Amino acid sequence: MKAKEFIKKYTMVLALVIVFLFFTVLTGRRLVLAQNISNLLLQNAYVLIMACGMLLCILTGGNVDLSIGSTLCLSAALVAKLLDKGAAPAIAILAALGVSALIGIWQGWLIGYIHIPPFICTLAGMFLFRGVARVILDSRTISIMNKDYLKLFTSYIRFANEENQHVTSALIIGIIVAVLFTVYTFAVRAKKAKDGYKVGAFSSTLIRTIIIDALIVAYAYKLMGYKGIPVMVIWILIVVLIFGFITSSTVFGRYFYAVGGNEKATKLSGIDPRKVYFWAYFLMSVLAGFSGLLVAARIGSVDGNMGNSYEMDAIAACFIGGASAYGGSGTVPGIMIGAILLGVINQGMSILGLPDQYQYIVKGGVLLIAVIFDVVSNHKTGKS
């Protein structure tokens, strides 16, 4: 692979490395402290999860869902209210996810079958669902005290009697995951080669696998120094792996790319674009509702402003991670890199004590640069 092709393919990865090293030096290595490394994913869990759903919406033609921050707030408000009334955690969780699913069905139907423009439909939902959330909360803050619920999302995986600053189990689990990833990677490569598919050079696969394994072990090593592996990371991985598999290895996932690439041709080939739109917005709402459960548990309380501008973080993560503003292209690994890049910028500036306005300026600049790069590098001047 030529240097120019390498830089183009791994632009965001290189950007993430540069930004991470920059803030590591600028913060006097405080960014890489065990607690900060642990918090990096926890504080951005909602972005990592909701970006998976937002990717499906963007793939259909650059569309977005503006209502997910409000859906997250509504889900969290419902959980907090039910738990406050003494409901069992399972009942509260099912109720919140059920309402999120109904929102997804409603918006998916309006957008897919009634052909309401996604921007208008979800903009209305943004106001509507936040209003309902504030009605449920009665315009007050509700604390979440149920220990079983909190344990489900905020506990840590470790052996009994392990100390918070020396959780050996985290490193052991990290090594096991790295080994399993290596075995899976080369098993998939061997199967593709056996079936006659074109595979990359062995050396390229080996180097990429070694780098990813090193990152997994390094992350686990850092977690070993602060409480261990958070359960919330497991929830993130489950969602990311499911949606990564859907978009890369299933016919259903390819429908989203097809609609975004050429909707008319997709329709003529026998695929119903209405169903694709429906599923994109349905899954997006369910993920927003699930993110509400995580955020409520992490913060420990819910108010009517929870989730403000969260939709913008999910959208930014997708575009920074390589999703095309015109639809039809983008990957789950790419948007994960975009989300982590945003998280590093936010955390780095927070450690430095910079005001919020500078974070907005930097995030806006990074997003604009990412979209300009997509348009210019792919020679796009319009939807055509």
Side-chain angles (χ1 to χ4, degrees):
M1 184 183 294
K2 295 180 180 179
K4 185 177 180 180
E5 294 177 354
F6 178 84
I7 293 174
K8 182 178 177 180
K9 184 175 181 180
Y10 296 105
T11 300
M12 285 303 112
V13 176
L14 296 173
L16 175 59
V17 172
I18 292 170
V19 169
F20 187 84
L21 293 176
F22 173 75
F23 278 110
T24 298
V25 174
L26 207 61
T27 59
R29 295 182 60 82
R30 283 179 290 168
L31 181 65
V32 295
L33 292 176
Q35 184 174 355
N36 288 333
I37 292 295
S38 179
N39 289 336
L40 180 61
L41 285 187
L42 300 186
Q43 292 174 355
N44 295 279
Y46 70 91
V47 184
L48 293 162
I49 289 175
M50 292 200 298
C52 292
M54 189 64 74
L55 175 64
L56 301 183
C57 298
I58 291 172
L59 286 176
T60 60
N63 301 304
V64 296
D65 188 339
L66 298 177
S67 68
I68 57 175
S70 298
T71 302
L72 180 151
C73 182
L74 176 56
S75 172
L78 192 56
V79 160
K81 189 72 172 183
L82 289 173
L83 291 176
D84 191 53
K85 294 294 184 180
I91 300 298
I93 291 171
L94 289 175
L97 292 179
V99 168
S100 302
L102 288 175
I103 290 173
I105 292 171
W106 171 247
Q107 292 196 143
W109 177 71
L110 288 176
I111 293 169
Y113 292 89
I114 308 300
H115 305 296
I116 304 297
F119 182 88
I120 301 300
C121 183
T122 58
L123 178 63
M126 181 175 70
F127 296 117
L128 176 61
F129 307 141
R130 186 166 299 279
V132 174
R134 289 179 176 176
V135 169
I136 291 174
L137 294 169
D138 196 23
S139 297
R140 63 189 182 93
T141 300
I142 298 180
S143 297
I144 297 178
M145 308 300 291
N146 189 292
K147 292 183 179 180
D148 291 332
Y149 176 81
L150 294 174
K151 185 178 179 181
L152 187 61
F153 297 111
T154 62
S155 59
Y156 290 81
I157 299 173
R158 56 188 181 185
F159 298 143
N161 301 321
E162 284 188 314
E163 298 178 1
N164 283 346
Q165 280 70 43
H166 193 70
V167 187
T168 310
S169 58
L171 183 59
I172 294 173
I173 293 172
I175 293 172
I176 293 173
V177 170
V179 171
L180 292 175
F181 175 77
T182 302
V183 172
Y184 173 78
T185 299
F186 285 98
V188 170
R189 186 182 185 279
K191 187 176 186 304
K192 286 184 177 180
K194 183 179 179 182
D195 293 341
Y197 291 100
K198 184 179 179 181
V199 295
F202 180 83
S203 58
S204 176
T205 304
L206 180 62
I207 292 172
R208 185 172 66 250
T209 304
I210 290 173
I211 292 173
I212 294 175
D213 284 346
L215 291 173
I216 292 172
V217 174
Y219 181 67
Y221 176 77
K222 279 295 180 180
L223 294 181
M224 184 176 69
Y226 183 73
K227 295 185 178 181
I229 297 176
V231 169
M232 199 172 292
V233 170
I234 306 300
W235 288 116
I236 294 171
L237 282 175
I238 290 172
V239 172
V240 170
L241 290 174
I242 289 174
F243 278 79
F245 176 75
I246 288 174
T247 54
S248 65
S249 304
T250 67
V251 174
F252 173 70
R254 290 297 163 187
Y255 287 170
F256 297 97
Y257 292 91
V259 169
N262 191 322
E263 184 174 336
K264 291 183 179 178
T266 302
K267 190 173 183 179
L268 291 173
S269 68
I271 300 170
D272 188 352
R274 298 176 301 175
K275 291 182 179 179
V276 177
Y277 282 109
F278 174 85
W279 278 104
Y281 286 90
F282 171 75
L283 292 172
M284 178 71 265
S285 292
V286 171
L287 289 182
F290 181 65
S291 297
L293 304 180
L294 299 182
V295 175
R298 186 179 67 82
I299 296 176
S301 63
V302 180
D303 62 36
N305 292 319
M306 177 179 281
N308 268 337
S309 79
Y310 280 13
E311 61 276 356
M312 299 306 170
D313 290 334
I315 293 168
C318 289
F319 287 136
I320 291 171
S324 174
Y326 301 108
S329 66
T331 64
V332 169
I335 64 173
M336 292 301 104
I337 292 171
I340 294 172
L341 177 58
L342 280 178
V344 170
I345 291 172
N346 289 337
Q347 191 166 56
M349 290 192 290
S350 295
I351 293 172
L352 292 172
L354 295 178
D356 288 344
Q357 56 263 35
Y358 292 106
Q359 296 188 28
Y360 285 113
I361 292 172
V362 173
K363 284 196 289 187
V366 171
L367 174 58
L368 182 60
I369 291 170
V371 174
I372 291 174
F373 177 81
D374 169 58
V375 173
V376 174
S377 64
N378 292 290
H379 309 293
K380 297 173 181 175
T381 55
K383 183 130 184 172
S384 59

